[in-house]
Amino acid sequence: MKWIKAILAVSLTLLVIYGLNRTYGVIPALGPFLSPYEGFWRSGADDGFESEELTLEGLQAPVQVRFDSLRVPHIFAQNDHDLYYAQGYLTAKDRLWQMEFMTHAAAGRLSEIIGERTLEMDRYQRRIGMVVSAKKSLARMQADPQSRAVMEAYTAGVNAYIAQLSPHEYPFEYKLLHYKPEPWTTLKIALLLKMLAYDMTGYSDDLRMTNNLRKYGPEITQDLFPDYPFHEEPIVPLGSKPDFTPLPIPPTPADFMAAAAAHTLERQKPENLGSNNWAVTGAKTANGYPLLASDPHLNLSLPSIWHVVQLHAPGINTYGVIIPGAPGVGIGFNERIAWGMTNVGADVLDWYQIQFKDNKQQQYWHDNQWKPVRRVVEKINVKGGQTILDTVLYTHHGPVAYLPHEKAFRAGSTPIGHALRWIAHDPQNELRTLILVNRAADYQQFRNALTTWAAPAFNFVYADSQNIAIVSNGQFPLKWPEQGKFLLDGSNPAHDWQGWIPMEQVPQVLNPERGFVSSANQTPVSPQDYPYYLGASFAGYERSARINQRLSAMTQATPDSFRLMQTDNYSFVPQNVLPTLLKLVNQDSLTGTQKKAYQLLVSWDYRFNPDKMAPSLFENWWQTLARAIWSDDFPPETYKAPARDRLVQMIQQVPRSRWYDDVNTPDKETLPMLVNATFKEVADSLGVGGEKWLWGNARDSYIRHMAQLPGFEHQLFTGGSANSINALNGSHGPSWRMVVQMGPQIQAWGVYPGGQSGNPASRFYDNLLNDWQTGKLHQLLFLKSAADRPSATSVTWTFKKN
Amino acid sequence: MLFLLILLFSVVVQFFLPWWSLALVCFAVAFWKARYGGQAFLAGFGAIGLAWLGMALFWHLVTDGLLSNRVAAMLTVNSPWILLVVTVVIGGVVGGLSALSGYLVRRLWV
C-alpha cells in the first residue's frame, strides 16, 4: 500500500511537470512561461537602465555608447570592426527575437518554432528559392573584403549578446513559443536583404493577366490595362531627354498566349504598395539649403520594423534607421548628405510556362531541345519532431514554384508548370551600397555606391548642401515592350531575359529646373523620354500629384512645412471622381438619411481626416461601386480588374460602356443605375452615423504584433488614405517619417510607430506611437563626437575589450 | 517550519535553476521534515504559491502591468489578476504534489 501511494504520487508529479513543460499547438508551456522566476512576468524589467561598463570578447578597442531620451544608441568606435560589432550587440539587445523571427520567415523555417500552421508559408519560401538565392548573394558579398568584414563583425556582436543571455533573460516571445535563440550567421544578413526584395518585388499579376488576355483578347486587354496610365506625373519631369546611347532593345517575338492558369499562391501586387520621398533646393527654403523628406510605407507591426542608430568611427558618422539584423544605416543622413528610398515597382518577377517531357518531370522543352531539370530537396522541420521533404524543380529560368498537379486548369494533357524568374535570384552586393552611402560625401560618391544595388529597386532621393537628386536605381532586365506583362513561353529563348539596363542609364534627375524632386512609386519616366520598358503597373499618380502640387507652390520652406506635408490627408481620388458620381445620383429618390449622406459628400473637402464621416462614406461607396462594375467581368479569384485610375477615366469619359452591365443578370445595367444603387446601399448601412463611422474608427486600422499575437495589437485612430500623402491603409502605412535640413549644421527630425525596444513590457516598445499618430516629429540628436553635448544624454555604456 | 524551509530554499534555487527545480526542493525538504501527508501537500502548495505570488506581483507592479495585461488578453482571461491566480495555483499544485511525493517516499523506510 505504501509503495502504491508513493509510486502514484511521484508519477503524478512527474506527469504534471512534463505536461507543464511543453507546448500544445498555440498554448505555451505553462510551467516555464508562468514561473515568475524565469517566465513572462520577469520580462518587464527595463527600469534601472543606467551607465555601465561591459567587457566583451573580440573587441579591438574600447567603444562608447551614449543613449538619448528615446533610447537611441549613439555608437562611438575607434575602428570599423568595433563599430559594427557594437551595432550587432546593441541591435540584438533591443530586437533579438524579431531579427531571428524575420530570418526564419525568410528561410521558410517558421514551422520549426510555430508548428504545422505555417507549413504552407514555409513551403512557398522554399519554392521561390529564397535560401538558394540568399546563399548566392552571400558568396557575392563575401567576395568583397570590406563587406565581409562588416558582416562578420556585426555577426560577432550579435553572438556576443546571445552568449551572455541566461534563459530568464530571453525575450518574451522565446518564452511564449518555448524555444531558444540560435547563433547569428552572415547568411541571416543575406536572408534579410532577400526578404526586403520579397516584400517590395515578390508580387505578380501575370497569371491573372493571362487569364484576362485569354478571355477578352489583346485589344480589350490593352485598352483596360494600358502600359502608361491616363493620368501620370513621372518622377523624371516630362520632356527630359536621355543623354546616353541606349542598348538595342531585344526584338518582340511573335504573339504568345499561355494556357489559362490560376494558383492560390500567386501574391497579387497591392495597388498601393508605396512610399514617399522628396527634396527641394535651397531656393525654396527659408534657410537657403536643401530640405529632404522620406517616409517609407510598409506593413506596420510591433516590434517596429526599424531600429534607429548613430554610427561614429574614423571615416563615418551617420544616423538613421535600419532593419534589425542588417549592419549600417538604410535611410538617414551623415555630416554631408541625406537620402531616402521608395519602391520602384518595376516588373522584375516573371513566370515562364514550362512544358515537361512527361509526368516524371525530369526534362523540359527549351530552344528546341529537352533540357534537364535540377532537383533540390528542401527539408522543413516542424515543431514536434516531424520533417517534411519538398522537392523543388529548377530550370535555367528559376525554380518551378507551381507544379502541374497543383493547377486548377490544364491545357490538354501536357504537364505544365510555372518557373519563376526573379531579380532576387541574381546575386549582387547590396550591403556594399549601404556601407558606401553611409560614408559618401558628395553626389558622385553616392551615385557610385548605388551601382551595386540590384534589388529591390528603389527611388533613391538625395540631398547635400548644394544639390538634390533622385535615381530610380536597381538592376532592371532589358526587356522588349510588355515582356512579362503576361505569362511567358518557357520554351522560347526569345522570351528569356536578355541582359540588363546599364546601371548608369537608370532613370535619374539631378537639380531639375522646377527646384524639387519627388517620388511616390509612380512610373519613373514617360516612355517618350526613356528607351527601355520597365513595367506596366506602377502605383497610381494621386500621391505624387499631391506632393508635386504642394512642392511647386512652396517657398520659404521649413522642416515644419515638410512635417505638415507628410501628414497631408488630401486625396485626388474623390477630387477626380466624386463630382461626376454625385451628379448621377437622382436626388428626388433619396430618403431622409440618404439625403444627409449626400449632403455630407457634397460639402466634403476631400481630406481623409479621422474625425469626419464623409471619408468613410466615400471609401465604402467607391469600393462597392468598383466591385459592382468589375466583379462580374473579372472575378477576383482568377482575373485582375483594371486599375483605379482606368476606372476613373471610364466614369469620366465613357458614360455608356459595356462594363457597367452585370453579365450575371438579364437586365442591362447602366452607370447611373449602379451609382444610385450602391450609393443607397452604403448610405443606408451608415444609418444615422455615430462614432464608429468616423473615418479614424471605420477604417479599422491596426498595428499588430509581428507574430499576430492576439491582445498585442493597437487600434489606430488616424487620418490619411492609400492615395493621400499620409498613406495609411489598413495596417500598411508610413513606417518612418524623416525630415532633414541640409547646411553646415545638418539637422533632422523623425518618428516611427513604435519604439526602440522589442520587449512588449518596455516603455520603449511603443512610446512613439502616439506622436506618430498625431503627426509629431522628434528632433534627432546627431552628435559630432563622443564628447559632443555631454548633457544631451544621461546613460553611457562603455564596452571594454577583454 | 516545513513551509518556511520550502519557501526559503525554493526561492534561492529558482533564481539559478529552471522552474522545475522547485519540485526537487519540495521533495527533499518534505522527505526530510514532513510528518503528515496533508501537512506536506499544504506546505508545498502554500510555500510555492506564495513564492510565485510574491514574485509575480512584484514584476507586475514594477512594470505597471504593461506585459501582464497583454498576456492576459492573449490567453483570453482578460485580467492580469486572473492570470496571477492561475500562476499561483499552477505553482502551488506542482509544489504540493512534489512535497507530498517526498513525504510518501520517505514513509517507505519508516
Side-chain angles (χ1 to χ4, degrees), chain A residues 139-154:
Chain A
R140 179 76 177 249
M141 291 191 274
Q142 287 188 323
D144 173 50
Q146 190 182 21
S147 308
R148 182 187 187 119
V150 166
M151 284 197 293
E152 286 176 354
Y154 185 91

PDB file of all heavy atoms in Angstrom, chain A residues 139-154:
ATOM      1  N   ALA A 139      27.711  34.707 -51.027  1.00  0.00           N
ATOM      2  CA  ALA A 139      29.010  34.449 -51.644  1.00  0.00           C
ATOM      3  C   ALA A 139      29.517  35.706 -52.342  1.00  0.00           C
ATOM      4  O   ALA A 139      30.693  36.069 -52.250  1.00  0.00           O
ATOM      5  CB  ALA A 139      28.892  33.296 -52.627  1.00  0.00           C
ATOM      6  N   ARG A 140      28.599  36.402 -53.002  1.00  0.00           N
ATOM      7  CA  ARG A 140      28.970  37.629 -53.701  1.00  0.00           C
ATOM      8  C   ARG A 140      29.424  38.713 -52.717  1.00  0.00           C
ATOM      9  O   ARG A 140      30.416  39.399 -52.935  1.00  0.00           O
ATOM     10  CB  ARG A 140      27.740  38.107 -54.499  1.00  0.00           C
ATOM     11  CG  ARG A 140      27.938  39.381 -55.262  1.00  0.00           C
ATOM     12  CD  ARG A 140      28.760  39.130 -56.515  1.00  0.00           C
ATOM     13  NE  ARG A 140      28.900  40.335 -57.300  1.00  0.00           N
ATOM     14  CZ  ARG A 140      28.328  40.525 -58.483  1.00  0.00           C
ATOM     15  NH1 ARG A 140      27.598  39.576 -59.044  1.00  0.00           N
ATOM     16  NH2 ARG A 140      28.500  41.650 -59.132  1.00  0.00           N
ATOM     17  N   MET A 141      28.715  38.832 -51.619  1.00  0.00           N
ATOM     18  CA  MET A 141      29.069  39.860 -50.629  1.00  0.00           C
ATOM     19  C   MET A 141      30.391  39.519 -49.956  1.00  0.00           C
ATOM     20  O   MET A 141      31.192  40.400 -49.655  1.00  0.00           O
ATOM     21  CB  MET A 141      27.956  39.991 -49.583  1.00  0.00           C
ATOM     22  CG  MET A 141      26.686  40.597 -50.139  1.00  0.00           C
ATOM     23  SD  MET A 141      25.469  41.040 -48.864  1.00  0.00           S
ATOM     24  CE  MET A 141      24.600  39.525 -48.646  1.00  0.00           C
ATOM     25  N   GLN A 142      30.610  38.228 -49.718  1.00  0.00           N
ATOM     26  CA  GLN A 142      31.837  37.846 -49.029  1.00  0.00           C
ATOM     27  C   GLN A 142      33.070  37.968 -49.918  1.00  0.00           C
ATOM     28  O   GLN A 142      34.182  38.005 -49.422  1.00  0.00           O
ATOM     29  CB  GLN A 142      31.707  36.437 -48.472  1.00  0.00           C
ATOM     30  CG  GLN A 142      30.787  36.450 -47.265  1.00  0.00           C
ATOM     31  CD  GLN A 142      30.744  35.132 -46.529  1.00  0.00           C
ATOM     32  OE1 GLN A 142      30.783  34.091 -47.157  1.00  0.00           O
ATOM     33  NE2 GLN A 142      30.650  35.177 -45.227  1.00  0.00           N
ATOM     34  N   ALA A 143      32.835  38.053 -51.216  1.00  0.00           N
ATOM     35  CA  ALA A 143      33.964  38.236 -52.126  1.00  0.00           C
ATOM     36  C   ALA A 143      34.549  39.642 -51.984  1.00  0.00           C
ATOM     37  O   ALA A 143      35.678  39.895 -52.391  1.00  0.00           O
ATOM     38  CB  ALA A 143      33.516  37.976 -53.557  1.00  0.00           C
ATOM     39  N   ASP A 144      33.777  40.553 -51.416  1.00  0.00           N
ATOM     40  CA  ASP A 144      34.257  41.921 -51.206  1.00  0.00           C
ATOM     41  C   ASP A 144      34.780  42.023 -49.771  1.00  0.00           C
ATOM     42  O   ASP A 144      34.013  41.844 -48.819  1.00  0.00           O
ATOM     43  CB  ASP A 144      33.110  42.905 -51.446  1.00  0.00           C
ATOM     44  CG  ASP A 144      33.495  44.321 -51.078  1.00  0.00           C
ATOM     45  OD1 ASP A 144      34.555  44.780 -51.530  1.00  0.00           O
ATOM     46  OD2 ASP A 144      32.738  44.968 -50.319  1.00  0.00           O
ATOM     47  N   PRO A 145      36.094  42.272 -49.598  1.00  0.00           N
ATOM     48  CA  PRO A 145      36.682  42.209 -48.241  1.00  0.00           C
ATOM     49  C   PRO A 145      35.993  43.138 -47.241  1.00  0.00           C
ATOM     50  O   PRO A 145      35.777  42.765 -46.094  1.00  0.00           O
ATOM     51  CB  PRO A 145      38.137  42.631 -48.467  1.00  0.00           C
ATOM     52  CG  PRO A 145      38.387  42.518 -49.926  1.00  0.00           C
ATOM     53  CD  PRO A 145      37.085  42.607 -50.633  1.00  0.00           C
ATOM     54  N   GLN A 146      35.627  44.344 -47.687  1.00  0.00           N
ATOM     55  CA  GLN A 146      35.010  45.279 -46.747  1.00  0.00           C
ATOM     56  C   GLN A 146      33.639  44.764 -46.284  1.00  0.00           C
ATOM     57  O   GLN A 146      33.323  44.774 -45.095  1.00  0.00           O
ATOM     58  CB  GLN A 146      34.867  46.656 -47.403  1.00  0.00           C
ATOM     59  CG  GLN A 146      34.466  47.728 -46.399  1.00  0.00           C
ATOM     60  CD  GLN A 146      34.270  49.081 -47.050  1.00  0.00           C
ATOM     61  OE1 GLN A 146      34.060  49.177 -48.259  1.00  0.00           O
ATOM     62  NE2 GLN A 146      34.336  50.138 -46.267  1.00  0.00           N
ATOM     63  N   SER A 147      32.828  44.306 -47.240  1.00  0.00           N
ATOM     64  CA  SER A 147      31.501  43.796 -46.889  1.00  0.00           C
ATOM     65  C   SER A 147      31.624  42.609 -45.963  1.00  0.00           C
ATOM     66  O   SER A 147      30.880  42.454 -44.998  1.00  0.00           O
ATOM     67  CB  SER A 147      30.733  43.366 -48.140  1.00  0.00           C
ATOM     68  OG  SER A 147      30.723  44.391 -49.090  1.00  0.00           O
ATOM     69  N   ARG A 148      32.585  41.757 -46.278  1.00  0.00           N
ATOM     70  CA  ARG A 148      32.792  40.569 -45.465  1.00  0.00           C
ATOM     71  C   ARG A 148      33.157  40.943 -44.024  1.00  0.00           C
ATOM     72  O   ARG A 148      32.601  40.415 -43.065  1.00  0.00           O
ATOM     73  CB  ARG A 148      33.916  39.723 -46.095  1.00  0.00           C
ATOM     74  CG  ARG A 148      34.169  38.469 -45.349  1.00  0.00           C
ATOM     75  CD  ARG A 148      35.385  37.723 -45.874  1.00  0.00           C
ATOM     76  NE  ARG A 148      35.439  36.443 -45.195  1.00  0.00           N
ATOM     77  CZ  ARG A 148      35.359  35.284 -45.811  1.00  0.00           C
ATOM     78  NH1 ARG A 148      35.257  35.237 -47.108  1.00  0.00           N
ATOM     79  NH2 ARG A 148      35.387  34.163 -45.111  1.00  0.00           N
ATOM     80  N   ALA A 149      34.073  41.896 -43.886  1.00  0.00           N
ATOM     81  CA  ALA A 149      34.491  42.310 -42.551  1.00  0.00           C
ATOM     82  C   ALA A 149      33.322  42.898 -41.770  1.00  0.00           C
ATOM     83  O   ALA A 149      33.144  42.620 -40.577  1.00  0.00           O
ATOM     84  CB  ALA A 149      35.630  43.324 -42.665  1.00  0.00           C
ATOM     85  N   VAL A 150      32.506  43.713 -42.455  1.00  0.00           N
ATOM     86  CA  VAL A 150      31.353  44.328 -41.790  1.00  0.00           C
ATOM     87  C   VAL A 150      30.388  43.243 -41.309  1.00  0.00           C
ATOM     88  O   VAL A 150      29.934  43.244 -40.161  1.00  0.00           O
ATOM     89  CB  VAL A 150      30.639  45.307 -42.749  1.00  0.00           C
ATOM     90  CG1 VAL A 150      29.276  45.698 -42.210  1.00  0.00           C
ATOM     91  CG2 VAL A 150      31.500  46.547 -42.974  1.00  0.00           C
ATOM     92  N   MET A 151      30.090  42.280 -42.177  1.00  0.00           N
ATOM     93  CA  MET A 151      29.137  41.233 -41.814  1.00  0.00           C
ATOM     94  C   MET A 151      29.662  40.391 -40.662  1.00  0.00           C
ATOM     95  O   MET A 151      28.916  40.013 -39.765  1.00  0.00           O
ATOM     96  CB  MET A 151      28.857  40.330 -43.021  1.00  0.00           C
ATOM     97  CG  MET A 151      27.941  40.972 -44.031  1.00  0.00           C
ATOM     98  SD  MET A 151      27.260  39.746 -45.157  1.00  0.00           S
ATOM     99  CE  MET A 151      28.704  39.255 -46.028  1.00  0.00           C
ATOM    100  N   GLU A 152      30.942  40.098 -40.708  1.00  0.00           N
ATOM    101  CA  GLU A 152      31.496  39.235 -39.664  1.00  0.00           C
ATOM    102  C   GLU A 152      31.561  39.942 -38.316  1.00  0.00           C
ATOM    103  O   GLU A 152      31.276  39.339 -37.278  1.00  0.00           O
ATOM    104  CB  GLU A 152      32.864  38.691 -40.096  1.00  0.00           C
ATOM    105  CG  GLU A 152      32.674  37.610 -41.151  1.00  0.00           C
ATOM    106  CD  GLU A 152      33.966  37.064 -41.739  1.00  0.00           C
ATOM    107  OE1 GLU A 152      35.040  37.608 -41.410  1.00  0.00           O
ATOM    108  OE2 GLU A 152      33.888  36.094 -42.525  1.00  0.00           O
ATOM    109  N   ALA A 153      31.907  41.231 -38.341  1.00  0.00           N
ATOM    110  CA  ALA A 153      31.959  41.976 -37.082  1.00  0.00           C
ATOM    111  C   ALA A 153      30.562  42.086 -36.474  1.00  0.00           C
ATOM    112  O   ALA A 153      30.366  41.878 -35.270  1.00  0.00           O
ATOM    113  CB  ALA A 153      32.547  43.362 -37.321  1.00  0.00           C
ATOM    114  N   TYR A 154      29.583  42.400 -37.318  1.00  0.00           N
ATOM    115  CA  TYR A 154      28.201  42.539 -36.845  1.00  0.00           C
ATOM    116  C   TYR A 154      27.722  41.217 -36.245  1.00  0.00           C
ATOM    117  O   TYR A 154      27.145  41.184 -35.151  1.00  0.00           O
ATOM    118  CB  TYR A 154      27.317  42.956 -38.022  1.00  0.00           C
ATOM    119  CG  TYR A 154      25.884  43.264 -37.660  1.00  0.00           C
ATOM    120  CD1 TYR A 154      25.496  44.564 -37.333  1.00  0.00           C
ATOM    121  CD2 TYR A 154      24.916  42.267 -37.672  1.00  0.00           C
ATOM    122  CE1 TYR A 154      24.180  44.852 -37.030  1.00  0.00           C
ATOM    123  CE2 TYR A 154      23.595  42.550 -37.371  1.00  0.00           C
ATOM    124  CZ  TYR A 154      23.229  43.842 -37.053  1.00  0.00           C
ATOM    125  OH  TYR A 154      21.914  44.134 -36.751  1.00  0.00           O
TER     126      TYR A 154
END
